[in-house]
Amino acid sequence: MSAQGVAVLLSWMSCCGSALWRYYTNSPNYHIFSTRTTIKLEYEGTSFSEWSVPATCSVKNKKSPKTELRCSSPGIHIIKPVVTGPDPEEERYLSVDSSHTCFLCFFHNLNQVLLTIWIYDPENADPNELLQNANEPSLNSIVLSKQLASLGQSPTIHTFLKRKSYFPHGKVNGTWRISLPLVADDALKEIKGNKVAFQDCFIEDYLFLLTFPFLTIPEIPGFLPVTSPRGSQLIADWNSCFPSGVVLVADMETFQTNDSFRTWTRIRVPPNILTDDERHNVSDVNLYWSGIFFLINGIVYFRNLTAFTRLGNNENLPEGGIIGLSSRKWCWSKYKLKPNIKSHMVIWTREEIYLGYPPLRFVKIITIKKLRKILNMPAAGVLTIQDVKYTGHPLEIALLLNHCITCTTVKRLYIVIYSEVTKEWVLQDFELDVAIDSVVTSRFPYASISEVILWDKHRVYYSYHNFTVTGVLQTPTESGNLSRLAHGSVISTVFTDYYGNIIVKMENNIMFFFKIYTTDAVKLHLWTNNQTKSLFFLNASGKIYLIYVFDDGTIYPQDYPVRLETQSIASKTKEKCPFIIFHHNIMYISYVLDKGHYLSFWAQIVYPENAGLYITVESYGPDILKKESQVLYEIASGYCTKTITVTFYQTVDYEAVKDYFTLQNKNTGLLVVRVRPSEYTKMCPAAQKVFQVAVGCDFSKFIAVKGFDRKSCRWHDFFYIIKKSYLRDRPSKNLRVKYDWKKYGCPLRLNFKEKFHPVLQLYSDDGYIEDVDVNFIVWEIHGRDDYSFNNTMKTSGCLNEAQTWNSMHKLNKHLPLEYAWGPENYNHCFSYAIGKPGDLNQPYEIINKSNHNHLVWPMQHTGMYVFRAKILDPNYSFCNLTAIFAIEIYGTISSPNGDLVIAFLFLLMLLFFSILVLSYFHYMRIYRQYIYAPIYKTRRIKDQEK
């Protein structure tokens, strides 16, 4: 944080509230906290005397509440302010390392697709670079970048989901420029530098998020603020796959940002739509790509770029009584197995639940009366909906139900899981008794199986391992009553991240920390005074930061060092992680398994001897995969190493089954898998890996015919005629066809004597995968059948008559030709038990890479053929893989029309006889002339003239 930023923050936070102290660095998110780092200390209060630091650290001004600290040796250093008065300030155990990572990468987004990158030293950076809003490098950064470039430095960008790499294509004034495509499903990226050192310092890798711009709603003059009730806590929502996009409702304004509050806009509404009381009574908010949903007095309103709309009966929503809105909190952007069934938000009343789908379509999925019957719950008592949340599974929703009989002192909570795939409601093995007036809120952490964190005003409850371990979060004193440890304050919110960290923030900003699967919490050092409203969020790097909202309507973001703060507490409590290291080779968060594929990975844990740890692999979802595992064990020098190798696969045979599509649907679905050590504590680093395995069609894959492209020819559409005698159905008229160049691509020109053997190739969005070596079929999409195959059934090795287009079309006359034959009804001909005897001299119409079956052409005419190829093997893919290719035949002399030949010969003969007749009369005239006018008379006249 810059000095100016610290001053602004202190001016607002030091006016009132309890005394406390904090520390900052110039490195964003406390990336670098080493012996080279300048640590800025600040005390907030009136009783400061001086700073107490160890001898290995030096303070710039020991008597100043704001000063700088440098530690010359790595290790844990006890830092605290000495104050006047009876109550000493708490001490922190700052863990300073000796890392040689000193420099950071800075990127400036020029136009969403072109990034300018340079290297800067946070200890000698420009204030704009420290605030992450610089448009160009400072002089120091230019010199540093040029120096590192001369040593071979060249930053590259790597994506996490698709594992793509992008390299610089130019250097300008000490910067590198890299072009990136904007894609929604590969937004998480990392800048990595070469292992090049300058003055024994390396570059820290930088994780960031870059996707399509998330538009914020502009402020419009004359519009009025929309707020929460006066004195209420902050309300917020964020986009799960773009956490930098946030909407925040305070009691004086509503704010929206798309860059983690480096900039923001105020969201206001048109006048004369809401009363003043309604405008200041927002109880919930939900952020969507195209706008913001507000819950006001039980009614949902939608604010987008152009309008502010009340939603009701026209959108299939109730006109009142709505008590909550919720959206997904975890991003599964790669999930495309069943893309049309995924809702984006849930809305509920005490007795009804609605799911929201794009753009503004809502569907009521259940009522409490119907749900009671489905779950066979007793009719006695009152059953209402308390809370609804999306779970860690991409397609599941959890209901928290209240049930009571007399409803005077205690009510019982139940959890019901709804699957958007199966449409089933399942009552979980979970029960929790709470006070009748308790308002319980739930949050499902990032996990594979159903884990839930719940809280009311005073306590936090947990339920782990698919609701089999349930209890109250414990504290060293007060039996888990956090309010008593927080000076009577109540719980404001519970924040969770992707690494299993969970922070409980009280309304007075006292915080407690625990990790998923742990059952006790520790109180964190005080970071913010009790008068400032704050809330936790995740930034574009997945790191935790705090937002402070001040009474004048301004906002200030501040990084929060959760790792350093928990390490400090652990140094005091002597709590340690039971293992030394836990790592694995799971590179992605999403995998897609097609037929015949398998997923194999390993995980390894190193721990002190006799600790007895192991690795657990848990999956949640349909039972559609088999699992094999192998464990290797090694012990040396007092440490044990366990390595587990796990393979997921399927063994279903889809060939010659009665109901192919039903069997496919039964064996597709989504599993969420978690790999973790058997034990860990709050002080362990990220101690679990959660990923999803989708079994089904990978929509990023497609096939193409080898040798065809769309670039080697000049694009132009044209029309051609197919004679009726060449068509399969023998229509009464010729067929006029338009050749769609964009759809069919460039045709392959072949001489009529050339046979053609198509070879299929499998591709994905990332490029070529493999040649397809299974059976496939081809057909001319416009109905031509004037082609054949060079192989016969007999030469192909058939024992019975093989399937052909004609035979399959006869069996499925009710279906179009392209659906008459496919993997769902394919039977091979290489067994006497399958099929029936017949003429084996017929053409064999099934092709694969190795059977040398070629397409052959007619000898009498040329033509244009547009074929579609389709995979026939039922065990190759869940996808209906097809490809189009076109072939133009040339070189033959077309047979002439008989009538035309006769007419031509008649005209030719007529012309011949006409010439003969004319010649006859012509010579007769000449003959008569010489008979009646002798030549000697002409000569005599000429002699007389002489």
Side-chain angles (χ1 to χ4, degrees):
M1 177 181 290
S2 67
Q4 181 182 2
V6 172
V8 172
L9 184 62
L10 281 175
S11 67
W12 281 101
M13 303 177 70
S14 61
C15 63
C16 50
S18 58
L20 55 91
W21 69 279
R22 292 177 293 266
Y23 55 94
Y24 310 99
T25 68
N26 286 338
S27 172
N29 305 123
Y30 299 83
H31 273 300
I32 303 174
F33 203 81
S34 66
T35 54
R36 193 177 180 274
T37 302
T38 300
I39 304 171
K40 299 178 181 180
L41 306 177
E42 60 179 34
Y43 178 83
E44 180 182 320
T46 58
S47 57
F48 176 80
S49 176
E50 63 180 16
W51 292 99
S52 172
V53 300
T56 54
C57 299
S58 61
V59 179
K60 186 175 183 179
N61 186 350
K62 196 174 184 179
K63 298 292 185 178
S64 174
K66 294 188 294 181
T67 189
E68 294 180 357
L69 172 73
R70 298 289 292 269
C71 293
S72 58
S73 64
I76 297 176
H77 304 282
I78 302 176
I79 312 295
K80 72 174 183 178
V82 179
V83 296
T84 58
D87 298 324
E89 282 293 337
E90 60 181 348
E91 59 189 11
R92 279 185 168 91
Y93 293 73
L94 297 186
S95 179
V96 178
D97 60 39
S98 58
S99 171
H100 287 279
T101 300
C102 314
F103 306 136
L104 298 172
C105 286
F106 189 101
F107 78 89
H108 172 56
N109 197 352
L110 289 176
N111 55 9
Q112 292 297 325
V113 295
L114 182 62
L115 300 187
T116 297
I117 300 174
W118 64 86
I119 300 167
Y120 73 103
D121 180 359
E123 299 301 317
N124 298 284
D126 184 87
N128 288 328
E129 291 175 326
L130 298 179
L131 293 174
Q132 300 294 302
N133 58 13
N135 295 327
E136 58 184 17
S138 63
L139 180 59
N140 287 338
S141 298
I142 292 175
V143 173
L144 178 62
S145 298
K146 288 183 176 181
Q147 181 64 43
L148 285 166
S150 67
L151 296 173
Q153 184 58 258
S154 181
T156 57
I157 295 179
H158 305 268
T159 67
F160 267 75
L161 296 182
K162 295 186 177 181
R163 316 304 296 181
K164 291 186 176 181
S165 299
Y166 300 92
F167 301 91
H169 54 73
K171 289 188 292 183
V172 179
N173 194 26
T175 65
W176 294 267
R177 293 193 173 185
I178 301 179
S179 296
L180 288 176
L182 289 181
V183 289
D185 60 350
D186 201 18
L188 190 59
K189 300 173 175 65
E190 186 176 33
I191 301 177
K192 290 187 175 182
N194 298 333
K195 299 302 181 182
V196 175
F198 176 62
Q199 297 180 349
D200 294 330
C201 283
F202 294 89
I203 299 174
E204 172 84 0
D205 295 338
Y206 182 74
L207 190 70
F208 68 101
L209 197 72
L210 183 66
T211 183
F212 292 99
F214 193 101
L215 298 179
T216 57
I217 299 174
E219 298 182 28
I220 300 178
F223 279 25
L224 303 175
V226 55
T227 73
S228 57
R230 191 67 181 171
S232 61
Q233 292 296 301
L234 301 176
I235 307 170
D237 191 44
W238 59 92
N239 186 285
S240 61
C241 292
F242 187 63
S244 298
V246 180
V247 58
L248 176 66
V249 181
D251 59 2
M252 83 294 294
E253 288 282 359
T254 293
F255 308 92
Q256 186 184 11
T257 181
N258 60 5
D259 56 7
S260 299
F261 288 102
R262 283 190 289 168
T263 61
W264 71 86
T265 60
R266 293 176 175 86
I267 305 301
R268 298 190 171 190
V269 299
N272 303 323
I273 294 181
L274 300 174
T275 66
D276 289 345
D277 290 339
E278 289 173 332
R279 284 194 302 104
H280 300 297
N281 200 29
V282 175
S283 57
D284 209 345
V285 68
N286 185 267
L287 180 64
Y288 187 51
W289 283 102
S290 59
I292 301 171
F293 294 91
F294 291 96
L295 180 59
I296 302 173
N297 291 346
I299 300 171
V300 176
Y301 295 83
F302 182 65
R303 176 76 165 94
N304 59 15
L305 292 172
T306 59
F308 181 68
T309 309
R310 172 174 172 161
L311 306 183
N313 292 334
N314 292 336
E315 292 78 22
N316 197 32
L317 285 176
E319 294 286 350
I322 297 173
I323 60 174
L325 317 173
S326 183
S327 59
R328 285 180 171 80
K329 292 296 177 281
W330 307 116
C331 179
W332 297 104
S333 62
K334 188 72 175 177
Y335 182 70
K336 297 179 180 179
L337 193 60
K338 292 180 172 62
N340 296 325
I341 62 176
K342 190 175 179 181
S343 60
H344 68 81
M345 70 178 298
V346 58
I347 297 175
W348 69 95
T349 68
R350 295 192 181 277
E351 296 186 347
E352 298 173 335
I353 298 177
Y354 300 80
L355 292 184
Y357 301 89
L360 283 177
R361 183 174 63 91
F362 296 91
V363 177
K364 182 166 68 174
I365 59 171
I366 200 69
T367 64
I368 202 70
K369 183 178 180 181
K370 184 177 179 181
L371 184 62
R372 189 193 289 263
K373 292 181 180 179
I374 294 174
L375 302 177
N376 293 319
M377 298 186 71
V382 178
L383 185 67
T384 58
I385 299 171
Q386 170 71 42
D387 193 22
V388 183
K389 290 292 190 297
Y390 287 93
T391 70
H393 193 284
L395 293 173
E396 287 189 349
I397 300 169
L399 281 66
L400 187 64
L401 302 180
N402 292 321
H403 184 261
C404 58
I405 303 296
T406 59
C407 301
T408 55
T409 57
V410 177
K411 63 181 178 181
R412 179 162 292 178
L413 301 181
Y414 297 95
I415 290 181
V416 178
I417 300 294
Y418 171 70
S419 171
E420 290 192 71
V421 179
T422 64
K423 312 297 181 185
E424 293 179 348
W425 301 86
V426 180
L427 181 65
Q428 304 300 310
D429 188 17
F430 172 88
E431 294 181 1
L432 181 66
D433 292 333
V434 296
I436 191 66
D437 59 347
S438 295
V439 178
V440 179
T441 306
S442 61
R443 177 68 55 83
F444 285 79
Y446 185 67
S448 63
I449 60 179
S450 293
E451 330 279 358
V452 65
I453 305 296
L454 308 103
W455 66 94
D456 54 23
K457 288 185 177 181
H458 311 293
R459 286 182 170 84
V460 174
Y461 310 90
Y462 59 84
S463 186
Y464 298 147
H465 306 298
N466 206 19
F467 306 112
T468 59
V469 179
T470 302
V472 178
L473 187 70
Q474 294 299 307
T475 51
T477 60
E478 304 298 345
S479 300
N481 191 321
L482 302 184
S483 294
R484 294 177 184 172
L485 296 172
H487 313 301
S489 182
V490 298
I491 297 174
S492 170
T493 187
V494 175
F495 180 81
T496 61
D497 67 5
Y498 284 92
Y499 305 102
N501 299 314
I502 305 175
I503 299 175
V504 183
K505 193 187 83 65
M506 313 299 285
E507 288 189 356
N508 64 356
N509 291 321
I510 289 177
M511 295 180 289
F512 299 86
F513 174 82
F514 68 106
K515 271 186 177 287
I516 188 174
Y517 307 117
T518 60
T519 59
D520 63 304
V522 293
K523 187 178 181 180
L524 293 174
H525 300 298
L526 192 61
W527 188 266
T528 307
N529 68 57
N530 57 14
Q531 299 297 315
T532 303
K533 292 182 178 179
S534 62
L535 206 58
F536 280 105
F537 294 99
L538 290 177
N539 61 19
S541 299
K543 304 297 183 181
I544 295 175
Y545 72 100
L546 276 165
I547 280 295
Y548 300 113
V549 179
F550 304 112
D551 292 336
D552 67 344
T554 58
I555 291 181
Y556 199 90
Q558 182 187 56
D559 295 333
Y560 181 72
V562 60
R563 179 182 61 85
L564 294 172
E565 290 292 272
T566 55
Q567 286 178 347
S568 175
I569 296 296
S571 298
K572 294 176 64 175
T573 61
K574 307 302 180 182
E575 182 176 357
K576 295 182 179 179
C577 185
F579 55 86
I580 307 301
I581 190 171
F582 170 72
H583 62 131
H584 49 77
N585 70 336
I586 305 169
M587 304 297 294
Y588 304 97
I589 64 172
S590 299
Y591 293 87
V592 180
L593 290 188
D594 210 337
K595 294 175 182 177
H597 292 186
Y598 64 90
L599 172 64
S600 184
F601 61 88
W602 58 261
Q604 187 177 80
I605 186 172
V606 180
Y607 57 91
E609 187 178 359
N610 298 323
L613 301 184
Y614 56 92
I615 297 172
T616 64
V617 179
E618 302 159 320
S619 61
Y620 177 71
D623 186 18
I624 55 178
L625 286 177
K626 295 182 179 296
K627 182 178 75 172
E628 289 184 356
S629 59
Q630 182 182 13
V631 180
L632 300 178
Y633 180 81
E634 181 182 351
I635 184 170
S637 303
Y639 292 96
C640 298
T641 301
K642 283 184 180 178
T643 305
I644 184 172
T645 303
V646 180
T647 302
F648 286 102
Y649 62 95
Q650 270 193 345
T651 58
V652 182
D653 186 3
Y654 295 91
E655 186 172 346
V657 297
K658 291 184 178 180
D659 197 335
Y660 172 83
F661 294 111
T662 300
L663 184 62
Q664 271 202 153
N665 190 61
K666 181 181 177 181
N667 288 281
T668 58
L670 180 73
L671 285 80
V672 182
V673 182
R674 176 184 61 192
V675 183
R676 66 174 181 87
S678 58
E679 296 179 16
Y680 58 90
T681 67
K682 297 182 291 296
M683 300 307 139
C684 292
Q688 65 171 353
K689 176 63 178 180
V690 179
F691 61 97
Q692 66 177 7
V693 181
V695 182
C697 176
D698 185 349
F699 291 96
S700 68
K701 293 183 178 180
F702 59 94
I703 59 172
V705 180
K706 184 178 181 180
F708 289 81
D709 61 52
R710 299 176 181 272
K711 300 179 180 179
S712 61
C713 56
R714 186 176 63 87
W715 281 36
H716 65 283
D717 294 347
F718 60 88
F719 291 90
Y720 62 94
I721 301 296
I722 302 177
K723 293 182 180 181
K724 59 186 180 181
S725 59
Y726 304 156
L727 296 172
R728 185 182 301 274
D729 297 330
R730 300 299 185 265
S732 59
K733 295 182 179 180
N734 295 336
L735 179 65
R736 186 172 184 263
V737 176
K738 178 183 178 182
Y739 188 90
D740 189 337
W741 217 274
K742 184 176 181 181
K743 185 177 181 180
Y744 304 148
C746 299
L748 177 66
R749 299 189 77 243
L750 294 177
N751 188 279
F752 74 99
K753 297 179 182 179
E754 296 181 75
K755 297 181 293 185
F756 178 69
H757 178 69
V759 175
L760 299 185
Q761 295 180 319
L762 182 66
Y763 291 84
S764 71
D765 291 342
D766 298 326
Y768 170 81
I769 299 177
E770 64 181 5
D771 284 358
V772 177
D773 56 5
V774 299
N775 291 340
F776 62 93
I777 51 178
V778 298
W779 71 98
E780 212 283 333
I781 66 173
H782 300 303
R784 299 187 72 142
D785 66 350
D786 56 330
Y787 60 92
S788 188
F789 301 84
N790 69 317
N791 283 1
T792 64
M793 298 177 188
K794 185 175 182 179
T795 58
S796 297
C798 288
L799 301 177
N800 278 326
E801 184 176 330
Q803 293 173 324
T804 64
W805 277 111
N806 287 335
S807 64
M808 298 307 294
H809 191 41
K810 289 178 181 178
L811 290 174
N812 301 281
K813 292 182 178 180
H814 60 289
L815 296 175
L817 181 66
E818 59 185 299
Y819 298 111
W821 193 10
E824 67 276 9
N825 56 15
Y826 167 66
N827 290 315
H828 66 77
C829 62
F830 306 110
S831 171
Y832 288 114
I834 299 176
K836 58 184 180 180
D839 182 9
L840 300 186
N841 292 317
Q842 300 178 67
Y844 185 65
E845 300 184 1
I846 299 172
I847 307 173
N848 60 46
K849 183 180 177 182
S850 59
N851 70 355
H852 304 291
N853 198 12
H854 292 70
L855 291 166
V856 294
W857 318 107
M859 305 292 288
Q860 301 84 12
H861 56 266
T862 60
M864 178 70 74
Y865 297 82
V866 180
F867 290 99
R868 187 185 296 274
K870 177 165 66 173
I871 300 294
L872 191 61
D873 192 321
N875 289 314
Y876 185 73
S877 177
F878 288 103
C879 303
N880 181 29
L881 295 174
T882 64
I884 285 183
F885 63 99
I887 295 178
E888 182 183 2
I889 300 301
Y890 70 92
T892 64
I893 301 175
S894 300
S895 299
N897 184 280
D899 296 338
L900 184 61
V901 171
I902 293 173
F904 178 75
L905 290 176
F906 174 77
L907 291 176
L908 187 62
M909 294 299 294
L910 181 62
L911 179 62
F912 176 73
F913 285 111
S914 299
I915 293 174
L916 286 179
V917 172
L918 292 175
S919 299
Y920 171 76
F921 288 106
H922 177 69
Y923 284 106
M924 285 298 294
R925 184 173 59 82
I926 296 175
Y927 179 72
R928 284 195 298 267
Q929 180 181 353
Y930 284 103
I931 289 177
Y932 298 104
I935 298 176
Y936 71 89
K937 290 184 178 180
T938 305
R939 289 177 180 173
R940 185 179 294 176
I941 294 171
K942 290 180 179 179
D943 292 339
Q944 292 176 358
E945 291 175 353
K946 291 179 180 180

